[in-house]
Amino acid sequence: MEGYSQTITGGKTKRYVQFLEITDDPELMEQYRYWHSEAHHWKEIRDGIRAVGILEMELYMLGNRLVMIVDAPADFNWQEAMDKLATLPRQAEWEAFVARFQGCSSEARSDEKWQQAERIFRLY
């Protein structure tokens, strides 16, 4: 495996790691991948993620399991950011759109779907 390039910041950041299982259907999983690709993502969603202060976000997929890694400034407030994100252009529309892959209510916000992971090890 070749790995993935990372940008290293000079200051302190917070990292959030979250999990979500999507519907275990190969066609839906492929569509989910398609709608998150560089060529087909919704620009307003990417802009909104940056607008709430998130520095970097990555999604990884293994079968129907997803891992989201979010890096944000050290003073980042998760709940405030998610409250703001929910009000930004097309965000509710996006959440309703991806709900069909995620097997949840079309009314659910991003922070209601994804489950925060607990870090239990760090290599210093």
Side-chain angles (χ1 to χ4, degrees):
M1 173 170 262
E2 293 183 29
Y4 303 97
S5 296
Q6 293 295 112
T7 300
I8 304 297
T9 63
K12 288 192 172 212
T13 58
K14 287 182 183 176
R15 172 165 286 171
Y16 300 86
V17 179
Q18 301 180 307
F19 292 85
L20 176 72
E21 287 190 8
I22 59 173
T23 303
D24 194 4
D25 175 311
E27 184 178 324
L28 288 178
M29 291 186 296
E30 193 57 38
Q31 287 179 35
Y32 196 81
R33 184 180 278 110
Y34 172 89
W35 288 111
H36 285 83
S37 70
E38 289 287 326
H40 299 101
H41 72 273
W42 295 10
K43 182 182 181 314
E44 298 90 345
I45 303 308
R46 188 176 292 251
D47 292 347
I49 291 167
R50 293 234 182 261
V52 301
I54 292 172
L55 302 172
E56 182 64 68
M57 178 184 285
E58 298 175 336
L59 292 178
Y60 294 86
M61 187 175 203
L62 177 63
N64 71 319
R65 292 180 298 268
L66 302 173
V67 176
M68 180 190 301
I69 300 171
V70 176
D71 291 327
D75 62 351
F76 187 78
N77 182 302
W78 183 265
Q79 195 57 56
E80 286 177 10
M82 294 302 103
D83 289 346
K84 180 179 178 182
L85 184 65
T87 69
L88 295 179
R90 298 197 75 193
Q91 188 65 35
E93 181 184 355
W94 171 256
E95 297 302 346
F97 177 73
V98 295
R100 66 187 173 125
F101 306 105
Q102 299 166 337
C104 60
S105 165
S106 62
E107 304 293 318
R109 294 173 16 158
S110 178
D111 59 324
E112 296 169 334
K113 302 174 190 183
W114 289 86
Q115 301 298 304
Q116 288 279 357
E118 173 189 6
R119 182 171 71 186
I120 62 168
F121 174 80
R122 179 175 177 212
L123 180 65
Y124 290 95

